[in-house]
Every structure is written in C-alpha cells, then in structure tokens.
Amino acid sequence: MEHDRARPTAGSSEPTRGFLTSGVLATIGTAAVAVALGVGCVPWWFSHPQRMSRLIGKALPDLAADVGLDRVRLSWSGPLILEGVRLMPADGGSAPVTIGRIEASHGLAAILLSGGDVGRVRIEGLRADVVFDGDHRSNLERLVRREQPTDGTAVPRTARRTPLRMRLEVDDAVVSMIGPWTAEPWVSDPIDLRASLAAHPGGWSEWTIEPVQLLADARMEPAVAQGVLAYIAPVLANATRTGGRFSLRLDGARLPVGEPAAGEFAGLLSMHEVV
C-alpha cells in the first residue's frame, strides 16, 4: 500500500533554503581574504630595496645609474621612506651622489588615486662628490643616459610628459669638487633648495627651481673656479691660479623633463677680492 508524501501546507513552518549556500559563502569569504592579502602584500613586495631600485630605474629612463638602497619603507597610507640612497654609474665606479634619507608625504594609495602626485618630498643628507677631468667634464655626466644612433651622432632630445608631480625640499646639501688643477677638494657650505615638478601647458613636464642663495662669500679655489665658475666666467677656465671669495645666487630655473639642456637659468655671480 503506497503512502502519500507529506506536503507542506500553507501554515507549515518548514524552513526554506537561502540563495547563498554555505559553500558559496565560504568561496566568497576565501576570495575576500585572498584579495585582502594580495592588497596588503603590495607595499611589502615593493619595500624590498632591489625591487624598488628597479622600479626607480624604469621610472627615470634618463638615469644611466644603478640606484642602491639600504632600506625602504612603504605603506598604503604613507609616508614613503628611502634610506641610504646611492647613485652609481651603470658602467661601474663609486657613487658620486649619496643621500641619507628621502621621505615622500603621500603613501601608495594617495599616489595611485591622484594619478602620480607624490606630495612633499624631503631630502636630507645629500652629498655630491664631483670630480673633473682635464677637459672640464665631471663624473656626474656618467649618471645621465645619452642615446646614440647607429651612425654615432647625437640624438636630439625632446621634452616629455611624466605622470609624477611633487614638491621637492632639499636641506643641508653639500657639494665637494676636485680636479687636476688642485690636490685639495673644494667643499661648499650646506645648501637648501626648493623645487617642484609639474605639467607644463605645452604638453611636457618640467622642474621649477625657486630663487635661492646657493653660496655666500665662499672661497674661490681652483677646483670650483675652473670646474663650475668657468662656465659663467670663461676667463677662469685657463687661469693657472685663482683665489679670493665669491657669492652665487640663483634667481630661478626651469628644466624640461627629458631635455634639461633647453632649460633656462637666471642668477648672479658676485666675485670678491679675486686673484
């Protein structure tokens, strides 16, 4: 004898299954955890000094140098901190430029959401050891990439646009210079510099350097006279002996990204008690 299956009536309290089963909920939860872990690992991955060095090299294609880093601290909320920065020529040799600490106010999230605004970038402990050869060329030139075509002639450079934007603050930078004209290096007093990187209405990006008194009543020794000041006062280039004091003021500068030679400088060189 067959029995009819019990069918729920209108007043039955039998529970109904929801649309999201426990298996679906577990899958969604696992995916959410995986996404959260992946997002959280991004700053950790870029905090490795070698990975950050490669990223900087790709972001600055004109830089013909290896970027050495001792420590990197990066998070979504910020700040971005680089410590023990060294710019070394890609073809070998010691680092002519070293920086103790670079701190950018914006974190990874702010940089990405703003499309490249790094915020306020503060540089501390910058030192540049400039060495000139007999032709007045410095070791800093080896840090800049120069494209050469197959025929060996120079490739015309053009200004270009970069998505990065920032305000740069350099505190207590020190520059030393030496050349074949002297056995003792010339060392500057601490220099403070303010600059900004932004888009130009012409379609490229450029650095704008604010007016600053670079040097005041500094010693005019052969290393600085024949290495740098000779470009402003050519009479110093062939001087067998120089002495005295000088001051150097920068009234402003504009340097297009990708074509710094097309930039504009304005300033004043004052020479005191010159021999």
Side-chain angles (χ1 to χ4, degrees), residues 19 32 44 47 57 86 97 115 124 156 163 174 212 214 226 250:
F19 176 74
W44 170 84
S47 294
R86 303 173 303 280
V97 178
E124 300 175 350
V174 176
V212 59
L214 293 173
Q226 297 193 36
L250 181 64

Side-chain angles (χ1 to χ4, degrees), residues 6-267:
R7 298 179 180 178
T9 60
S12 173
S13 60
E14 180 181 345
T16 58
R17 293 185 178 182
F19 176 74
L20 298 179
T21 64
S22 59
V24 174
L25 290 174
T27 302
I28 294 176
T30 302
V33 172
V35 171
L37 289 175
V39 171
C41 287
V42 170
W44 170 84
W45 195 87
F46 282 110
S47 294
H48 192 281
Q50 292 183 350
R51 296 191 186 104
M52 180 57 71
S53 296
R54 290 194 294 266
L55 181 63
I56 294 174
K58 292 181 180 179
L60 302 174
D62 289 339
L63 189 65
D66 295 327
V67 181
L69 299 170
D70 289 341
R71 186 180 180 186
V72 178
R73 285 189 284 174
L74 175 65
S75 66
W76 284 107
S77 58
L80 166 63
I81 299 176
L82 309 177
E83 296 178 335
V85 183
R86 303 173 303 280
L87 298 183
M88 301 164 289
D91 54 1
S94 60
V97 178
T98 58
I99 301 173
R101 176 187 173 95
I102 301 176
E103 179 175 335
S105 60
H106 288 180
L108 187 58
I111 295 174
L112 294 177
L113 292 176
S114 63
D117 187 0
V118 185
R120 183 178 66 92
V121 179
R122 186 173 183 180
I123 295 180
E124 300 175 350
L126 186 152
R127 182 180 178 91
D129 296 312
V130 185
V131 180
F132 290 95
D133 60 18
D135 296 325
H136 300 270
R137 290 193 298 261
S138 76
N139 55 345
L140 297 184
E141 297 182 24
R142 298 169 59 194
L143 302 179
V144 181
R145 190 181 306 281
R146 293 185 175 183
E147 298 180 2
Q148 293 290 338
T150 55
D151 59 2
T153 59
V155 176
R157 306 179 66 183
T158 57
R160 64 175 185 275
R161 185 75 171 266
T162 173
L164 297 180
R165 305 181 302 280
M166 69 184 74
R167 172 173 172 78
L168 189 66
E169 299 180 359
V170 182
D171 294 324
D172 298 333
V174 176
V175 180
S176 71
M177 300 180 188
I178 195 169
W181 320 283
T182 178
E184 295 294 331
W186 175 89
V187 181
S188 73
D189 293 330
I191 300 172
D192 296 338
L193 191 66
R194 300 292 183 265
S196 60
L197 174 63
H200 188 274
W204 61 86
S205 298
E206 70 177 14
W207 287 97
T208 302
I209 303 178
E210 299 178 5
V212 59
Q213 184 71 42
L214 293 173
L215 299 167
D217 200 28
R219 291 177 292 116
M220 183 179 293
E221 298 181 359
V224 66
Q226 297 193 36
V228 175
L229 301 185
Y231 290 99
I232 307 173
V235 68
L236 299 175
N238 298 318
T240 57
R241 183 170 60 91
T242 57
R245 317 288 293 187
F246 75 99
S247 298
L248 182 60
R249 187 186 75 218
L250 181 64
D251 293 331
R254 296 171 51 251
L255 300 173
V257 173
E259 196 179 8
E264 298 178 356
F265 286 87

